[in-house]
Amino acid sequence: MSLRLGDIAPDFTAETTEGTIRFHEWLGNSWGILFSHPADFTPVCTTELGSVARLKPEFEKRNTKVIAISADPLDSHKKWIPDINETQNTTVNYPLIADADFKIANLYGMVHPNIDKFTVRSVFVIGPDKKIKLTITYPASTGRNFNEILRVIDSLQLTANYSVATPADWKQGEDVIITAAVKDEDIPAKFPKGHKRVKPYLRTTPQPNI
């Protein structure tokens, strides 16, 4: 069965460019992003791994660890990293998992045989409770927008702690939607910054955690 939102992310032990890890132990109390790429020494993947390296400080601000995976051996990863550093003007500063036997890729459903024999561009966002909070799958021909993934993490972390949801195209600092579970009479106590009643089912309030 495919993994679904709310499922526990499967644990595994793997060899990476930063040594052997046990996934759940490596995550600790952090949020995590596990993302796959089709193969080493490929152009789109080179740009993606460079983008994540440049954004790592932003992920760290959000208590989020990042880790990449492809079905290539460890020595291939290590030979490829200098190319990423050179062409993307950055330094790869997070681990790459070697999964030459596709064990982890198959565990997470990253191989789509009708598309390719390689792993597709999967993204898994995992919470501190080790549950899957979000999945996104891109075809090999389309590079990912990691700024969008940062935006999604902002939303996931906010909505995990407050009775709110984020509207379309929401960005950090913008108004949010009060969930239907909150009664009108309880809004002033829960959201002292005030609120706007657009419709009985659509009530907004300033972002509560800033």
Side-chain angles (χ1 to χ4, degrees):
M1 290 180 63
S2 61
L3 294 172
R4 298 177 179 177
L5 301 186
D7 287 350
I8 296 292
D11 197 11
F12 56 81
T13 300
E15 296 299 319
T16 82
T17 51
E18 295 186 1
T20 303
I21 68 159
R22 188 162 184 85
F23 187 51
H24 284 188
E25 182 180 283
W26 176 81
L27 282 172
N29 294 320
S30 299
W31 288 70
I33 295 175
L34 171 65
F35 68 102
S36 60
H37 56 273
D40 293 355
F41 298 100
T42 52
V44 176
C45 301
T46 299
T47 64
E48 287 189 323
L49 269 70
S51 176
V52 172
R54 288 190 296 273
L55 287 171
K56 192 184 178 191
E58 292 299 319
F59 288 113
E60 288 176 338
K61 287 178 187 176
R62 294 160 173 81
N63 187 34
T64 301
K65 294 181 176 180
V66 293
I67 190 166
I69 179 174
S70 79
D72 289 291
L74 194 59
D75 62 341
S76 175
H77 287 349
K78 290 181 176 179
K79 291 175 183 175
W80 182 36
I81 286 174
D83 282 5
I84 301 169
N85 294 343
E86 175 192 350
T87 62
Q88 305 306 304
N89 299 309
T90 189
T91 299
V92 173
N93 47 12
Y94 55 90
L96 279 63
I97 296 170
D99 189 36
D101 60 2
F102 287 84
K103 182 179 178 181
I104 301 165
N106 286 321
L107 189 64
Y108 276 79
M110 295 173 173
V111 181
H112 293 203
N114 291 335
I115 301 298
D116 205 321
K117 67 177 181 178
F118 300 108
T119 50
V120 293
R121 299 187 194 283
S122 297
V123 180
F124 293 86
V125 176
I126 299 159
D129 57 3
K130 310 300 182 291
K131 291 183 179 179
I132 296 171
K133 305 299 182 183
L134 173 129
T135 63
I136 315 176
T137 300
Y138 294 72
S141 58
T142 302
R144 285 162 282 204
N145 183 336
F146 286 96
N147 282 301
E148 164 63 6
I149 294 170
L150 280 171
R151 187 192 76 87
V152 168
I153 290 171
D154 285 339
S155 173
L156 289 169
Q157 293 182 345
L158 172 65
T159 57
N161 292 307
Y162 295 89
S163 300
V164 297
T166 55
D169 302 320
W170 174 86
K171 294 186 291 295
Q172 186 80 267
E174 295 179 348
D175 286 0
V176 295
I177 295 168
I178 300 168
T179 62
V182 180
K183 297 178 181 179
D184 284 344
E185 57 267 30
D186 295 333
I187 290 177
K190 279 183 171 288
F191 302 103
K193 293 181 180 180
H195 75 284
K196 180 179 179 182
R197 183 183 173 93
V198 182
K199 291 285 184 182
Y201 59 85
L202 178 55
R203 305 161 300 169
T204 63
T205 188
Q207 183 174 333
N209 64 342
I210 58 172

